Amino acid sequence: MEALKAWSLSSSQQLKHLIATHSAATFAALPRRRPSNVKPSIRFCSSNSSMDTAAAGPNQSGRNRRPPSSSSVAAPGSTSDRDAVRAIRIKKVEELRSKGLEPYAYKWERTHTAHELQNIYKQLANGDEANGDRDHVSVAGRIMGRRAFGKLAFLTLRDDSGMIQLYCEKEKLSGDQFEQLKTLVDIGDILGACGTMKRTEKGELSVLVTSFMILTKSLLPLPDKYHGLTDVEKRYRQRYVDMIANLEVAETFRKRAKIMSEIRKTVESLGFVEVETPVLQGSAGGAEARPFVTYHNTLGRELFLRIATELHLKRMLVGGFEKVYEIGRIFRNEGISARHNPEFTTIEMYEAYSDYESMMLMAEEIVTRCALAVHGKLTIDYQGTEISLERPWRRETMQNLVKEASGIDFSSFDVLKVAKEVTLRVLEKSLEHQDKLAIESCPSIGHILNEVFEIVVEPKLMQPTFVVDYPIEISPLAKPHRRTAGLTERFELFICGRELANAFSELTDPLDQRTRLEEQIRQHNSKRSKADHEENDEEQKATKTSNDSYEVVFDDDFLTALEYGMPPASGMGLGIDRLVMLLTNSASIRDVIAFPALKTPQ
C-alpha cells in the first residue's frame, strides 16, 4: 500500500530526527537513504514528533538539514524518548477535549471490514470511483502508516481482517478536519472513517474519506517497522504490542482458535459430550507432578490446582456418561522450557466399552483434521523437517524401540541390579552424569526401561509414532496388558521428538487401583525422604530436581467411585499447546500461549 511504504521507511530513531518547520502541527519530510529499487517516498509524522524535536533543541527548519548528533538525542526506544512522546500525545488528548471532541469514543457504527471492501470492490478499475448510494461505507481500525502531500494525505488502516487505505483530500473534509488529521492523528491511533470507494491510479483500493473520528488516542509509540518488537522477553510480556507489530504472531493465535474449534467439532461429531470438572481440588491426582497449593479461607482447607482432569472425568463414566471430554487448563508447579509451561491446555476424553486401540484412531483423527483445517494438506514442515501425517501411523512397543536403538533387550532382565549394570555398561559413552544418576536411582526394571527410552529413543521419533505397552511400574492408572505380564495397555504419541498424547485402556479394578496408587505414594515418599536426608550433600543438591519435596495426597473418593463400578473404557490426554506448536511451526511453547508465565522483570 502507498501509505504502508511510508511506514516501512520509518524507525524509532527517526522519531528524534524529524524536522520542526513553522509549528509543531506541521508535517515534516524525513530524508533517509533508501535502496535503489524503492521509489522515493516521504514519511510524514504527526505533531508530537516535531514537538519532541523542538523540545530537544533549537528549532531547525529546512528539508535537508543535518540530523542532530547522537549525543543530543535519546537512544532509539529509550525511556526518555517514550516519555516525551507520551507527554506530547497527552497534550493532544487535552487539545481534543478543549475542542469538544472525546478521544475515547463509546462506539462506532461500522458497515464493512477491510477484507470485505477488498472483495466487494476487487473489480474497480484504477482511477475509478464508486460513489453511489450503496458505496457509502464506514470503517474502523488502527492507523499503521501515514503520509501527505499538501492538501492530500494517505493513511493505512488495519482492522482484524486486513488493511485498507484512507484517501484524505482537504476539500472533501468539512471544517478544520484536515488540519486535525495532520496535527492530532498519530500512528497507533484507532480511527473511524466514512466515505466512498476509490481505486487510485496506482491500483490501491481506498476509502475516499468525507469524515473521520478518533475513537481511541494512543499514548505510546508503536515499534518501528524495520526492527519491530525483537526483544523476546518483551514480546512475551507485552503480547498486545507483539500482535500489533508482528502480524504472524496474531495469525498464530487465529490458527490456535481454529485448531481448538476443529478439535471440538471432531470429538462431538463422534458423540462425545463436553463437561467441566473442578480446577481447585482436594487432592492433585491423575498424574505425577508438583501441584500449586492454595488455601480456601471459608472452607478452612488447603486446595490444589489440578494437574490433570482424569479422575473427575472417570467419575463421570461411573455416573453413567459413556463419552465425555474436557478441554481445560492444567497447572503444574515445575520447570519452564521450550516444551513446558506451568499453565497449559489439554483435551482429555474417555469412552466406555473401548480400549486403547480406539484412542489411537481418535488421535489420528484429531491431528489430521486439525492439520487439514490449518494447512489443507497432511504434509507439513516443522523447523526444517518434513512431517507426513498420512495415516496409518507407525506403532511399536517401547521395548522394541529401545532394543533397536541401544541393543538392550529389557524383556530378558529379571534382576534390577543386573539391568542397571548392563544399561550403564552399554550406554556408558552416551550417558551424561545426570542420566547415570537417574538410572542408578531407578526402583524397578520398568523405570530403567523408561529412562533409556527418554534418553536414546524419544528425541529421534520425528514422524508420528505410537509407542505402546509401557511398564506397569510407571503406569498406575492403566489396565494390565492382556498378553504380556509386567506391561500395560498404554501408548504415547510422539511427533518431532515430543510427546503429544498419552492414553490407556483404563484400569477399572478398584482393588488393583488402590494397591498401585499406594505403591506410587510409597515410592514418592521414599524419594522425598531421601532427598531431604541428602540436603547436605553438595553434589546431590546440584543434581536433584526441585520436584522431590511436594506431598502426594491420596484421593480416596476416586477409589470409592470405582467401587461402585466403572465400565471398561479407554482414555486419552492430548496436549493442545504442543499440537498448535506443530501446526504453526512454532519453536517454543511460549509462542503459542498468548500470555505465558514469566519471571518478575528486574
Side-chain angles (χ1 to χ4, degrees):
M1 288 187 176
E2 295 163 8
L4 189 57
K5 291 179 189 173
W7 179 45
S8 300
L9 294 173
S10 66
S11 72
S12 59
Q13 188 170 10
Q14 293 166 359
L15 182 65
K16 299 171 291 301
H17 295 173
L18 299 174
I19 303 167
T21 54
H22 299 296
S23 72
T26 307
F27 278 80
L30 176 66
R32 66 171 287 152
R33 279 184 77 180
R34 60 180 182 271
S36 59
N37 62 336
V38 177
K39 295 182 179 180
S41 179
I42 302 174
R43 162 74 161 84
F44 287 86
C45 270
S46 52
S47 62
N48 66 318
S49 301
S50 300
M51 290 169 69
D52 187 20
T53 307
N59 187 25
Q60 301 180 53
S61 62
R63 187 176 293 269
N64 296 310
R65 71 172 176 85
R66 184 187 300 273
S69 66
S70 59
S71 61
S72 65
V73 295
S78 68
T79 302
S80 59
D81 177 48
R82 171 187 166 109
D83 290 346
V85 171
R86 184 174 182 272
I88 291 165
R89 293 194 180 188
I90 288 175
K91 289 181 179 179
K92 293 185 180 185
V93 169
E94 295 169 354
E95 184 176 347
L96 283 164
R97 286 182 170 145
S98 72
K99 295 176 180 290
L101 302 173
E102 176 51 54
Y104 299 99
Y106 286 90
K107 66 178 296 186
W108 178 261
E109 295 292 343
R110 182 168 65 172
T111 62
H112 298 81
T113 66
H115 181 70
E116 287 170 344
L117 291 178
Q118 296 287 359
N119 279 339
I120 293 169
Y121 293 96
K122 60 186 176 184
Q123 302 300 329
L124 191 64
N126 291 2
D128 284 358
E129 294 183 25
N131 52 14
D133 291 341
R134 300 181 63 180
D135 300 313
H136 288 267
V137 301
S138 171
V139 294
R142 190 180 297 275
I143 300 304
M144 302 303 296
R146 52 178 297 160
R147 64 194 180 103
F149 302 100
K151 298 181 179 182
L152 184 62
F154 300 95
L155 281 70
T156 300
L157 181 143
R158 189 172 85 196
D159 63 17
D160 186 52
S161 71
M163 294 193 187
I164 194 79
Q165 181 168 266
L166 303 184
Y167 188 104
C168 308
E169 287 183 308
K170 184 174 183 179
E171 290 75 11
K172 296 284 186 180
L173 294 169
S174 60
D176 64 347
Q177 274 213 313
F178 192 76
E179 291 305 314
Q180 291 178 20
L181 182 73
K182 292 168 60 177
T183 60
L184 299 176
V185 175
D186 295 298
I187 291 175
D189 290 352
I190 297 175
L191 235 65
C194 297
T196 55
M197 297 307 299
K198 170 187 177 70
R199 192 176 295 279
T200 67
E201 294 292 345
K202 293 183 178 180
E204 193 66 56
L205 184 66
S206 309
V207 176
L208 183 56
V209 178
T210 55
S211 66
F212 74 90
M213 178 179 176
I214 296 176
L215 304 179
T216 299
K217 183 66 190 167
S218 171
L219 299 183
L220 295 175
L222 296 179
D224 69 89
K225 175 62 176 176
Y226 268 128
H227 301 97
L229 188 61
T230 56
D231 184 301
V232 174
E233 185 77 7
K234 192 170 184 179
R235 283 184 53 216
Y236 296 143
R237 200 174 299 283
Q238 296 185 345
R239 183 70 87 184
Y240 41 91
V241 182
D242 191 24
M243 288 188 283
I244 295 172
N246 302 308
L247 287 175
E248 66 277 7
V249 173
E251 184 60 24
T252 292
F253 292 108
R254 289 190 178 91
K255 288 179 179 178
R256 182 186 176 107
K258 185 178 289 187
I259 290 167
M260 297 279 280
S261 176
E262 193 63 31
I263 290 172
R264 277 194 168 91
K265 286 193 290 186
T266 299
V267 297
E268 290 183 1
S269 71
L270 297 172
F272 284 78
V273 176
E274 184 171 14
V275 298
E276 295 175 289
T277 62
V279 172
L280 295 175
Q281 301 182 352
S283 60
E288 188 170 1
R290 182 188 186 98
F292 288 93
V293 185
T294 187
Y295 187 83
H296 196 296
N297 290 329
T298 302
L299 298 178
R301 61 178 293 198
E302 274 192 347
L303 293 173
F304 303 91
L305 272 68
R306 66 186 179 194
I307 59 173
T309 55
E310 177 170 352
L311 302 188
H312 282 87
L313 290 174
K314 287 181 176 178
R315 287 172 169 94
M316 299 295 290
L317 294 187
V318 173
F321 285 80
E322 295 183 357
K323 293 183 177 182
V324 294
Y325 80 96
E326 181 173 9
I327 293 177
R329 286 299 233 197
I330 304 299
F331 308 89
R332 296 181 182 177
N333 194 1
E334 298 179 338
I336 296 176
S337 72
R339 304 184 188 187
H340 301 91
N341 194 68
E343 179 182 4
F344 59 98
T345 305
T346 68
I347 176 172
E348 284 202 43
M349 63 189 70
Y350 293 85
E351 181 180 15
Y353 312 115
S354 66
D355 63 11
Y356 73 148
E357 295 275 354
S358 302
M359 284 299 156
M360 290 188 209
L361 299 176
M362 177 63 76
E364 289 179 336
E365 188 72 11
I366 289 173
V367 174
T368 54
R369 283 202 192 186
C370 288
L372 290 172
V374 173
H375 295 285
K377 58 182 181 179
L378 295 178
T379 300
I380 63 174
D381 175 82
Y382 184 75
Q383 302 296 300
T385 299
E386 185 178 282
I387 304 297
S388 173
L389 300 175
E390 294 286 349
R391 301 165 68 176
W393 297 343
R394 182 188 181 191
R395 303 181 184 189
E396 191 54 83
T397 67
M398 176 181 278
Q399 286 187 349
N400 286 346
L401 287 169
V402 168
K403 183 178 180 181
E404 180 183 296
S406 68
I408 303 173
D409 183 3
F410 275 85
S411 65
S412 65
F413 294 132
D414 295 317
V415 180
L416 176 60
K417 183 179 178 181
V418 174
K420 288 182 180 180
E421 291 173 351
V422 171
T423 301
L424 291 171
R425 185 179 71 250
V426 172
L427 300 179
E428 180 180 8
K429 294 181 180 179
S430 60
L431 293 178
E432 296 181 2
H433 179 63
Q434 191 169 349
D435 297 330
K436 292 178 181 178
L437 291 177
I439 290 172
E440 288 170 352
S441 65
C442 284
S444 70
I445 294 173
H447 281 89
I448 301 174
L449 172 62
N450 186 60
E451 284 288 341
V452 175
F453 170 80
E454 291 182 354
I455 295 167
V456 303
V457 178
E458 183 176 324
K460 300 175 183 178
L461 297 177
M462 303 305 293
Q463 300 302 321
T465 304
F466 291 113
V467 180
V468 303
D469 302 347
Y470 278 55
I472 197 167
E473 299 93 333
I474 62 168
S475 311
L477 296 167
K479 214 171 186 67
H481 200 283
R482 66 194 83 180
R483 289 183 295 275
T484 308
L487 301 180
T488 59
E489 294 195 352
R490 173 187 175 188
F491 76 78
E492 288 184 318
L493 168 62
F494 289 86
I495 305 179
C496 293
R498 298 172 182 172
E499 176 202 339
L500 197 64
N502 186 19
F504 315 138
S505 294
E506 299 296 338
L507 182 58
T508 55
D509 180 343
L511 302 180
D512 187 5
Q513 183 67 89
R514 180 178 292 275
T515 300
R516 291 208 222 167
L517 290 178
E518 288 174 345
E519 175 62 19
Q520 184 186 33
I521 292 174
R522 187 196 65 76
Q523 288 183 10
H524 174 81
N525 289 338
S526 174
K527 184 165 45 173
R528 181 185 178 195
S529 177
K530 183 180 179 181
D532 290 342
H533 282 103
E534 291 174 344
E535 279 186 348
N536 294 324
D537 187 320
E538 292 301 321
E539 182 180 5
Q540 291 295 330
K541 283 175 69 177
T543 57
K544 81 183 187 74
T545 70
S546 61
N547 297 325
D548 296 331
S549 60
Y550 67 93
E551 182 181 3
V552 176
V553 179
F554 194 79
D555 190 346
D556 199 58
D557 180 72
F558 170 64
L559 292 168
T560 299
L562 284 188
E563 291 190 0
Y564 278 98
M566 187 178 100
S570 62
M572 177 173 67
L574 185 147
I576 290 177
D577 304 296
R578 290 187 180 180
L579 177 59
V580 176
M581 286 173 66
L582 174 69
L583 297 181
T584 60
N585 196 18
S586 298
S588 171
I589 193 171
R590 293 191 293 180
D591 292 331
V592 301
I593 296 175
F595 303 101
L598 300 167
K599 292 181 180 178
T600 303
Q602 300 298 318

